[in-house]
Amino acid sequence: MTGQSFSRSKALQAKAHHLIPGGCHTYAKGLDQYPILAPGFIARGLGAHVWDVDGNEFIEFGMGNRAVTLGHAFPAVVEAVQKEIAKGCNFTRPSQIEVECAEQFLSLIGADMVKFCKDGSDATSGAMKLARAYTGRDYVACCSDHPFFSVDDWFMGTTPMGAGVPQATKDLTLTFRYDDLDSAAALFDRYPGKIAAMILEPSRGADPKDGFLHRLKELCHRNGALFVLDEMITGFRWANGGGQAYYGIEPDLSTFGKALGNGFSVSALCGKREFMRLGGFHHHDKPRVFLLSTTHGGETGPLAAAIATIETYKEQPVVETLHRLGAALRDGFEQAIRRHGLGEYVSVVGRDCCLVFATLDRDRKPSQGFRSLFLQEMIRRGVICPSLAVCYSHTEHDIARTLDAVDASLAVYARALDDGVEMHLHGRPSQIVQRRFNLPGSFDEDLNV
């Protein structure tokens, strides 16, 4: 692509950072995650394509941080939402669609009960509260190999961005390693009778080894703790029933979001009746739990989106298509890596339905500079790819165009290994989200300061 201009985006960025901390409402979408030569604001999307506020068109693979698996403005979802919200979106009493959506969701996932909310953080935090209430214990443990579980204090206190979280709260969350049962067992040995739950994603791409998930569940139950799966990403990508269905394991509680409504704001905490009932009226043996009671939890539009999404998954080969397209993308990307002799510097990892790429510098160390350079060159060629997450609306032509862009971008990458990345990257590199401090002046060029 030639003749790109981001002038309107640049003007909006300056205004946004004056009005909004971080310039947007999702850190992963911030300007620090992209090179300077990148679209700052998206105006609209259709299928697997988006158009920015300057009119530039792109094939997109971030898909709303993996929340859009069917495609932007997917007709069945849009029509269902329009029809539902024309009748009103929020009432004094529950809406019938809350029951309909619960039935549809539980028939797909196989859990006993579900509570809907608006984002993944509320769902995972609800799971931790429920586990603590059921067990009467204060400690929880999360998998340190999985990057994000919640914006709430119980998790953020484990990250470099724990400012504002009391130390007493930080002390109550422990961490263990994926595929490392000994690390989890050591926590139970160190905190006997004190851990309420262990939470992890079923997978980040590679399958668990040696029955890890099943052995971890048994370890949790042997020590009186709940086994919780976070299916924000694996749900609606690994299989229709999520990672738990794919790996054949039944968690005590699990959480879903992102693709549940094809990008609409709806998430879910679900699980066994024995635990979920504590948020209801029909138990007398334990105190009541104030579980996910939100004004907008039963908002009709997003629930209609969830029903339409679930029906699409039941009726069409969505997951199979994600794997097929992702496999073609991986294969072509890896061929390009080999053509340019970059096997020691660039790699594609993850499951075919949910790929990411890794970038290393000349010393074979992870490099934000080379990541930014690759993103910059892909954007120049009409592709936005913070990840390589395909959607149901991507076409074979989209994949072919993307692989042409990959080939040309890796040619620049190879030259930068010889010349130095700064010779090819326009301006500063991107940065990781979870960092403790900002460097002075890091983004002045972006905002024309």
Side-chain angles (χ1 to χ4, degrees), residues 35-214:
I36 286 180
L37 295 180
F41 293 83
I42 303 300
R44 64 187 180 94
L46 183 63
H49 292 235
V50 295
W51 289 260
D52 70 3
V53 293
D54 290 283
N56 302 304
E57 179 182 354
F58 301 91
I59 303 170
E60 201 229 323
F61 288 91
M63 305 316 297
N65 296 342
R66 300 184 183 87
V68 179
T69 52
L70 299 179
H72 299 296
F74 194 75
V77 175
V78 172
E79 291 166 10
V81 173
Q82 290 175 332
K83 180 179 178 180
E84 193 63 35
I85 63 174
K87 298 182 289 187
C89 66
N90 210 330
F91 309 107
T92 304
R93 299 299 304 277
S95 172
Q96 178 178 332
I97 198 171
E98 296 181 42
V99 180
E100 295 172 357
C101 191
E103 288 178 327
Q104 286 274 20
F105 176 82
L106 293 172
S107 72
L108 187 73
I109 304 305
D112 295 330
M113 302 184 80
V114 61
K115 200 79 184 281
F116 294 119
C117 45
K118 304 307 290 183
D119 57 52
S121 294
D122 283 350
T124 55
S125 294
M128 295 301 96
K129 179 191 283 189
L130 207 54
R132 283 169 162 159
Y134 182 84
T135 62
R137 301 172 177 182
D138 292 337
Y139 287 85
V140 296
C142 61
C143 183
S144 59
D145 296 298
H146 299 163
F148 191 80
F149 288 100
S150 176
V151 299
D152 293 319
D153 289 357
W154 70 270
F155 172 70
M156 290 310 301
T158 70
T159 76
M161 290 184 72
V165 180
Q167 186 61 47
T169 300
K170 294 180 181 181
D171 293 341
L172 293 178
T173 301
L174 314 170
T175 60
F176 62 95
R177 300 294 305 274
Y178 191 79
D179 269 341
D180 185 348
L181 195 69
D182 289 342
S183 70
L187 294 181
F188 285 116
D189 291 341
R190 196 175 309 137
Y191 300 90
K194 295 182 178 181
I195 299 174
M198 288 193 161
I199 184 171
L200 72 163
E201 297 180 56
S203 167
R204 288 297 293 182
D207 293 335
K209 299 175 182 176
D210 302 321
F212 172 70
L213 294 179
H214 294 79

Side-chain angles (χ1 to χ4, degrees), residues 1-6 56 380:
M1 178 181 290
T2 58
Q4 287 177 332
S5 169
F6 301 119
N56 302 304
R380 286 185 193 271

Side-chain angles (χ1 to χ4, degrees), residues 100-357:
E100 295 172 357
C101 191
E103 288 178 327
Q104 286 274 20
F105 176 82
L106 293 172
S107 72
L108 187 73
I109 304 305
D112 295 330
M113 302 184 80
V114 61
K115 200 79 184 281
F116 294 119
C117 45
K118 304 307 290 183
D119 57 52
S121 294
D122 283 350
T124 55
S125 294
M128 295 301 96
K129 179 191 283 189
L130 207 54
R132 283 169 162 159
Y134 182 84
T135 62
R137 301 172 177 182
D138 292 337
Y139 287 85
V140 296
C142 61
C143 183
S144 59
D145 296 298
H146 299 163
F148 191 80
F149 288 100
S150 176
V151 299
D152 293 319
D153 289 357
W154 70 270
F155 172 70
M156 290 310 301
T158 70
T159 76
M161 290 184 72
V165 180
Q167 186 61 47
T169 300
K170 294 180 181 181
D171 293 341
L172 293 178
T173 301
L174 314 170
T175 60
F176 62 95
R177 300 294 305 274
Y178 191 79
D179 269 341
D180 185 348
L181 195 69
D182 289 342
S183 70
L187 294 181
F188 285 116
D189 291 341
R190 196 175 309 137
Y191 300 90
K194 295 182 178 181
I195 299 174
M198 288 193 161
I199 184 171
L200 72 163
E201 297 180 56
S203 167
R204 288 297 293 182
D207 293 335
K209 299 175 182 176
D210 302 321
F212 172 70
L213 294 179
H214 294 79
R215 292 191 297 143
L216 181 63
K217 176 183 175 180
E218 193 277 331
L219 177 69
C220 287
H221 287 182
R222 191 166 68 243
N223 287 276
L226 272 61
F227 174 73
V228 183
L229 289 180
D230 177 356
E231 295 247 34
M232 296 299 159
I233 292 176
T234 52
F236 296 90
R237 280 192 180 272
W238 263 235
N240 277 11
Q244 57 195 270
Y246 186 81
Y247 296 119
I249 187 166
E250 183 181 11
D252 297 313
L253 300 170
S254 57
T255 59
F256 290 79
K258 290 191 181 288
L260 171 56
N262 195 48
F264 279 86
S265 181
V266 58
S267 58
L269 166 61
C270 63
K272 297 179 179 178
R273 190 175 308 276
E274 178 183 359
F275 312 116
M276 295 292 292
R277 68 187 177 94
L278 299 189
F281 301 149
H282 301 295
H283 70 282
H284 310 283
D285 55 323
K286 291 181 180 292
R288 294 182 66 200
V289 175
F290 194 82
L291 183 64
L292 298 177
S293 177
T294 62
T295 298
H296 300 288
E299 186 183 1
T300 61
L303 295 182
I307 291 173
T309 299
I310 292 168
E311 289 177 342
T312 301
Y313 269 76
K314 289 180 176 179
E315 297 168 2
Q316 300 183 36
V318 178
V319 171
E320 294 85 347
T321 301
L322 298 182
H323 281 84
R324 175 176 57 80
L325 291 172
L329 182 60
R330 182 204 291 271
D331 182 63
F333 202 126
E334 290 179 342
Q335 288 183 38
I337 290 171
R338 290 192 292 271
R339 276 197 302 275
H340 293 283
L342 293 173
E344 294 182 326
Y345 305 98
V346 183
S347 60
V348 179
V349 297
R351 197 163 192 81
D352 288 339
C353 59
C354 191
L355 297 170
V356 295
F357 60 88

Side-chain angles (χ1 to χ4, degrees), residues 27 32 156-157 159-165 167 170 431-439:
Y27 279 119
D32 60 337
M156 290 310 301
T159 76
M161 290 184 72
V165 180
Q167 186 61 47
K170 294 180 181 181
Q431 296 187 24
I432 60 173
V433 169
Q434 293 181 16
R435 58 186 187 274
R436 190 174 183 190
F437 293 104
N438 294 316
L439 297 175

Side-chain angles (χ1 to χ4, degrees), residues 391-412:
C391 77
Y392 190 48
S393 294
H394 277 107
T395 65
E396 293 180 1
H397 180 63
D398 291 329
I399 301 300
R401 281 185 53 194
T402 299
L403 291 175
D404 286 343
V406 167
D407 188 67
S409 298
L410 289 182
V412 177

